[in-house]
Every structure is written in structure tokens, then in C-alpha cells.
Amino acid sequence: MRVWKFGDNIDTDAIIPGRFLTINDSKELAAHAFEGIRDEFSKEAKQGDIIVAGSNFGCGSSREHAPLALKGAGVQMVVAKSFARIFYRNSINVGLLPVICIQASEISEKDSLVPHTGEGYLEVSGKKMPVEPVPDFLQRIIDAGGLVAYAKTIRSEDLCIK
Amino acid sequence: MAGTITEKIFSARCGQEVTAGEVVMAPISGAMIHDITGPLAIEKFYEMGGEKVFDPAKVIMLFDHQVPADSLNAAEIQKNMRLFAKEQGIHNYDIREGVCHQVTLEKGRVCPGDIVIGSDSHTCMYGAVGAFATGVGSTDMGFALRYGCLYFRVPESIRADVTGKFQKRVGAKDLILNIIKDITVDGATYKAVEFTGDTMGSMNMAGRMTCCNMAIEMGGKAGIVPPDQVTTEYLSGRCTCRDEVLVSDPDAVYTSWRTFDVSDLVPQVAVPHNVDQVVDVTDIAGTPVDQVFIGSCTNGRFEDLQEAAEVLGDKKFSDSVRVLVIPASKDEYLKALRAGIIEQFVKAGALVEAPCCGPCMGGSFGLIASGEVSFSTSNRNFKGRQGSAEGKVYLGSAATAAATAVQGEITDPREVR
Ligand code: SF4
């Protein structure tokens, strides 16, 4: 498992450039993730890798292709100081875990990172770093494995149209 | 209880009083999908067991990002979406009308007080008519198409109170860039930005759209201007809306209240690679550019084209610059044609393209190469946004873009005679 470190304001154009948006398959998208920004990512990223970033990760476009490309590359979670709103929600919907950790900037690519998000912390080279709890309704979507799976469990009385 | 316009819209549509911070399942008054994010939304709709969309009359479909189809992939996508529209009885504006956000408003598909979503981040533009509108991803859109509602956390609001009269050749784009500079790229994350004050009250709908369009560039969930006489006039003949008038109560709660006086505001430019890296045009005047793009949902309206034409006058665009002019919609295109502006641009050396997104998001034509500089009236200057990640994008108003295109370098539009 490798930690990929990024800075602040990583936008969705950086994660997956506009010219690849006619692709909808996550594996194919992954081949272009961070193209022109960090070319070794698509070649070297492996199943279970973790992205660690600063503030406002995923700002910009609403393209769900961004979390899908990361998921396709094998990324299991993105740890950031803060997330842009649409990316955060899209990630949860497609089953890529976004984790808010105020101390994210202190994590380096050399650290060993063991997530214990269920218990509310990350183990970073033996040190505990707290992560922010996820709002209840989002946790239910995460637990279901994404919005598609969750949608199948909702009761009609929870909806606006019966 | 006192509420912001956003809280009141959620309360009205949900039929129960809600306040910021609450999570609600709210009914959707309109849902917009286009050629880029639509296909995935349709896929998710089916994965969720969808058969018929909740209400075909409330779904807005059109193609604008890669039109006319610029690749085989784009052609296949558009073909499949056409088929979906037909099967579902959705009116599809197809490639005929222009940029999604402009068309959605122009066609009267949004009323004050509506809750509207679009699978595009600049959906926040519809706040210009006093609606709550926000961009969502494709899975959320698939959910909404199936069930007609969606989860929302009712956002807190930031109030941006704007006063003063703009100097000549300074306007809404300069204002919103200045506001973003103040609030920063993530200063409004999860929040609605409510634009108020005398300046907003006297601003035309085109300017209000420019401001709301860029709320997302501060991380905003929505931008909103309280509906007034200007709104009513814009909507008349386009749609019949509810009688209710929702505006914020005087004692509504805001997380922050900022004031802006535009009297001394000079043309603003966002420099690479973040939208809050905003400077006075005078600070970077003289920077050579390779391409100027006048268009997009932010500034591709008739008023913008007119502003650019006024700066251009009978001059020519610089030979060292490629100038692309793309009206935001067919209606705006026709207005410009009738006013003789299109001819003026063509004569001056511009390439005028049919209404679409064009080079705005670097997905279609008009890309910039490595080392090249674009001056654009659109909304994002991210690295690689308009082509090469080694290129640079500057953002400003149509007036500044025209002045820059004439001189071949970033130029203060107030200096051009
Ligand atoms: S013009 Fe640009 S910002 Fe507007 S919808 Fe098209 S790509 Fe998006």
C-alpha cells in the first residue's frame, strides 16, 4: 500500500482532464488519472493505495469521473484536510471513502498508514491521528456500499413520491 | 422563525419548517442533464431499478460540451441519450440551443423558489432567478431521476452585500472575481452565497447569472439573488411561476456578512491556476496572450458580446491572437447577429462558433498548447482546464478580453479608445 501525497485545491480537471469524459469505465478512466499533472500515478497506483491531500480536494466540476478514476486505479480512500462538496458526496455515492483529517498535511509518502476510520482515527507510522465523523445519513450510504445499493433499501415513506 | 431565502425555499418545498444544518429529502422541481455527465446518470438510474423517470416534464436534456459530436465516443453518447429521451418522453433540446445553464433559464425551466439540480457544477447559476440550484454528480442525478427527490443538507448562508455604481467597463464579472478573492476558493464550501444590496438590485439578469454561476468557485453549494422586479420581467413570457415571494427575513442568520463597494473597483483578472488568485488588471497589463475566448455560461450572453464589441469598435484583433467568440445560446446569438456584432467580430478577425461550451473545459475544440496563454471569460483557470497542463489560463470580463484581443496582451479595457 502506497501513500500518494498531493497539495491543496486539487481540482477535478487535474484528477481527470475534460478530454477523457466520454469514457465512463473506471478502469479506462484510471489510465488517465492525473495525466499531465502526475504521470506516474496511472502507471504505478495499486489496489489499496491511499491519497493524502491538503484542503479543498476535488474542487471544480461535478464530474463523477473523478472519484471513479481514482477508484479504478485501486485507491481505497482519500484522506484530506477538507473536501469540495460535490466530490465528497460523489465519492461516497460511488464507494470511494473520503476521510477528513485535520492533520493530513503532516502525513508524508514515507509514512506507513493504517486506517481505522470506523474507530475514528488513522495510524500514521504508529501515531494516532483523529478523523472527523461522517454525518449519519452519509454513513448509512457508506455502510450500504454506495448510493445505488442504498437506494434499493429505502422505504417508500422516506421518499417524496410514493 | 426567521430564515434565509434558502431555508425558506427548503421549508416551502418540503412542507415543513427546516433550518440550516438539517438533512432533508426534498422534492426536485427540475433536473438538468447534458452530454458529459448524463450518460452515467442514466446508467445509475437503471442500476437503481428505474423504469420511468419521476416526471419527464421536469427533466431538461441537452448537449453542449462536445457538439457537434467531436469524436465517435461523443456521437455514441449523444445517440444513446436521444434514445433515452424518446423512450422517456423527455424534451431534448439536443445540440440546437446552446450551453445548458443559459438554455435552462432562457426556456423558463426554473422559477423563483424552485429546488433544481443539474449534473454540472455551475447549476448554481439558476440562483439568479431566486431558485435554490446546485450541481450534483451522476449517481445523485440517477437517484433524483428515479425518485424525484434527493437528500440535501440545508446550507448555511454567506451574505454578500454589494453597493456602489460600477465605473465604465467594469461590471458583474469583476465584482464576482473580487468577491471570490475575498471569500477564497473554499471559503463558501457547503454554503449558499446570497447576493444582495443596491448594486445587485439594479443589475440586469445577465450580470446576476454571472455572479451566481461562479458561486461554486468559492466552494458554494448555491448562489442566490432575491427575486425582484428584474426577475419578474425576465421570467414573464418564459414561464408561469407560483405566487409566493420568498426572500430572507431581516433577522435571518448568516455565517458571515461581507460588504462590497464597487465604486472604486477596477477590472479584475484571475491569474493561473486558482480562481481566487485575483489581481487588478493594471498589475498584469502587458502579459502576452495566444488565445482569447469570449463565451461560456459565465459570460457568453448578448450583454457580454455587446460589451466586447463596444471596446472593439472599428479596430482589428491583434494578429498574434486567436480570438474565439461563442455565444452562450441560440437566442443570444440571434440578438448579437441582429445588432451587427457578429459581423463586427468576424471582420476584426475572430472565429465565431455556434453556441456550445467550446474551449471552456478543454474537452472539445480550441485547446491551448504547452506554454500557451489563454485569456478567457469563462469561470475556471485550473491547470490543464483548456488544454495542456503546461498552458496558462487568465479569467476576466468580456470587456477586458476584447481589449486584450485587440492589443495581443492583457489590457485594461478602460484604456482602449
Ligand atoms: S460553458 Fe464551461 S463552465 Fe459552462 S457548462 Fe460549459 S463547460 Fe461548464
Side-chain angles (χ1 to χ4, degrees):
Chain A
M1 190 278 297
R2 174 168 172 185
V3 171
W4 294 85
K5 187 80 190 280
F6 289 87
D8 294 337
N9 303 319
I10 301 298
D11 57 79
T12 51
D13 282 87
I15 301 170
I16 184 79
R19 58 190 179 280
F20 302 118
L21 299 185
T22 50
I23 306 172
N24 283 336
D25 177 76
S26 68
K27 284 268 177 297
E28 282 177 50
L29 284 167
H32 302 287
F34 295 111
E35 193 164 311
I37 302 285
R38 197 158 175 193
D39 287 334
E40 77 272 22
F41 180 86
S42 59
K43 295 185 197 86
E44 296 168 16
K46 296 236 160 43
Q47 199 58 42
D49 282 3
I50 295 179
I51 287 179
V52 176
S55 55
N56 203 25
F57 188 86
C59 57
S61 147
S62 68
R63 61 189 72 163
E64 210 159 282
H65 307 71
L68 278 180
L70 301 185
K71 213 182 158 206
V75 172
Q76 57 158 313
M77 64 173 66
V78 181
V79 177
K81 208 169 153 189
S82 65
F83 287 90
R85 182 188 61 83
I86 308 178
F87 181 90
Y88 185 77
R89 182 135 171 179
N90 283 350
S91 296
I92 287 174
N93 285 347
V94 305
L96 172 75
L97 193 61
V99 177
I100 301 173
C101 172
I102 301 298
Q103 290 162 279
S105 329
E106 295 166 28
I107 304 171
S108 89
E109 295 201 342
K110 293 198 193 73
D111 278 316
S112 76
L113 205 169
V114 188
H116 298 275
T117 46
E119 293 79 48
Y121 71 96
L122 304 172
E123 196 182 314
V124 183
S125 297
K127 217 172 85 193
K128 275 190 185 178
M129 283 188 187
V131 300
E132 274 188 22
V134 175
D136 276 351
F137 86 102
L138 290 178
Q139 189 60 50
R140 289 200 290 274
I141 298 172
I142 294 171
D143 293 343
L147 187 62
V148 172
Y150 178 74
K152 293 176 180 156
T153 71
I154 15 183
R155 302 163 308 167
S156 62
E157 54 267 39
D158 294 332
L159 296 163
C160 311
I161 47 157
K162 305 288 180 273
Chain B
M1 217 183 113
T4 62
I5 179 169
T6 300
E7 290 170 315
K8 288 167 104 175
I9 291 173
F10 274 99
S11 299
R13 299 290 79 80
C14 296
Q16 67 188 76
E17 189 158 306
V18 296
T19 48
E22 277 179 60
V23 175
V24 291
M25 183 73 104
I28 299 300
S29 325
M32 188 282 296
I33 53 174
H34 59 52
D35 50 335
I36 292 289
T37 51
L40 211 49
I42 294 170
E43 194 180 305
K44 297 295 168 186
F45 164 79
Y46 284 127
E47 276 178 32
M48 288 179 210
E51 287 171 8
K52 284 276 161 207
V53 296
F54 73 108
D55 182 352
K58 290 186 177 152
V59 182
I60 303 144
M61 184 193 286
L62 45 70
F63 311 144
D64 56 353
H65 281 62
Q66 288 167 316
V67 301
D70 58 3
S71 66
L72 205 46
N73 262 348
E76 293 292 340
I77 280 172
Q78 291 171 25
K79 181 183 88 176
N80 292 336
M81 285 186 74
R82 282 185 189 110
L83 202 65
F84 181 75
K86 209 162 172 200
E87 278 170 15
Q88 297 283 340
I90 296 166
H91 181 80
N92 174 15
Y93 296 100
D94 212 285
I95 66 168
R96 287 182 299 274
E97 296 290 342
V99 182
C100 54
H101 307 308
Q102 179 64 25
V103 175
T104 299
L105 284 173
E106 244 171 44
K107 299 289 175 194
R109 304 294 298 259
V110 186
C111 279
D114 277 355
I115 295 177
V116 179
I117 57 167
S119 55
D120 188 287
S121 58
H122 293 103
T123 300
C124 51
M125 184 166 111
Y126 317 158
V129 297
F132 176 85
T134 194
V136 300
S138 297
T139 306
D140 274 335
M141 179 55 80
F143 186 98
L145 290 177
R146 166 123 163 70
Y147 298 108
C149 52
L150 192 62
Y151 282 111
F152 294 91
R153 180 182 173 282
V154 181
E156 288 85 12
S157 295
I158 293 178
R159 184 146 168 177
D161 224 346
V162 191
T163 54
K165 194 171 175 296
F166 288 111
Q167 291 179 46
K168 193 164 182 245
R169 293 184 178 170
V170 181
K173 182 63 164 290
D174 305 298
L175 166 65
I176 188 63
L177 287 176
N178 193 250
I179 293 177
I180 296 168
K181 178 184 185 176
D182 177 63
I183 295 183
T184 77
V185 281
D186 59 354
T189 301
Y190 293 102
K191 302 192 173 72
V193 183
E194 187 176 331
F195 301 98
T196 58
D198 295 349
T199 312
M200 294 310 300
S202 56
M203 191 182 282
N204 60 21
M205 201 44 78
R208 295 180 186 192
M209 289 179 196
T210 302
C211 291
C212 290
N213 178 282
M214 292 190 76
I216 179 73
E217 309 312 333
M218 313 177 249
K221 186 166 182 166
I224 193 161
V225 179
D228 57 12
Q229 192 55 37
V230 176
T231 323
T232 312
E233 274 163 29
Y234 178 81
L235 293 174
S236 101
R238 294 181 202 272
C239 52
T240 319
C241 300
R242 304 171 197 91
D243 280 334
E244 65 178 8
V245 180
L246 299 176
V247 290
S248 296
D249 293 318
D251 49 348
V253 179
Y254 296 90
T255 56
S256 107
W257 189 314
R258 335 277 306 176
T259 53
F260 299 87
D261 182 351
V262 300
S263 318
D264 296 324
L265 188 68
V266 306
Q268 301 286 291
V269 177
V271 304
H273 296 284
N274 279 313
V275 189
D276 63 354
Q277 303 296 302
V278 175
V279 300
D280 291 351
V281 68
T282 43
D283 291 347
I284 43 149
T287 309
V289 307
D290 300 286
Q291 180 164 296
V292 170
F293 167 43
I294 301 176
S296 86
C297 53
T298 320
N299 286 110
R301 282 170 280 281
F302 173 68
E303 289 80 352
D304 302 303
L305 303 180
Q306 199 178 30
E307 198 178 291
E310 195 268 326
V311 173
L312 173 64
D314 55 6
K315 295 178 284 301
K316 292 254 177 296
F317 292 126
S318 163
D319 280 342
S320 63
V321 182
R322 315 183 290 266
V323 183
L324 299 179
V325 177
I326 311 183
S329 72
K330 184 171 82 184
D331 286 7
E332 302 303 295
Y333 194 6
L334 282 170
K335 279 190 245 171
L337 261 177
R338 290 184 193 119
I341 292 174
I342 299 294
E343 185 173 343
Q344 193 183 342
F345 285 141
V346 173
K347 276 190 177 154
L351 221 59
V352 180
E353 300 289 342
C356 68
C357 296
C360 175
M361 66 135 211
S364 196
F365 58 84
L367 308 194
I368 57 167
S370 58
E372 288 195 325
V373 175
S374 159
F375 191 98
S376 176
T377 65
S378 57
N379 44 38
R380 285 189 179 139
N381 59 351
F382 302 156
K383 220 175 200 176
R385 171 78 178 178
Q386 290 184 5
S388 170
E390 265 100 62
K392 285 184 178 160
V393 181
Y394 291 80
L395 305 174
S397 72
T400 309
T404 299
V406 167
Q407 298 296 332
E409 54 186 40
I410 296 178
T411 301
D412 185 341
R414 297 169 305 168
E415 310 255 289
V416 178
R417 298 270 165 262

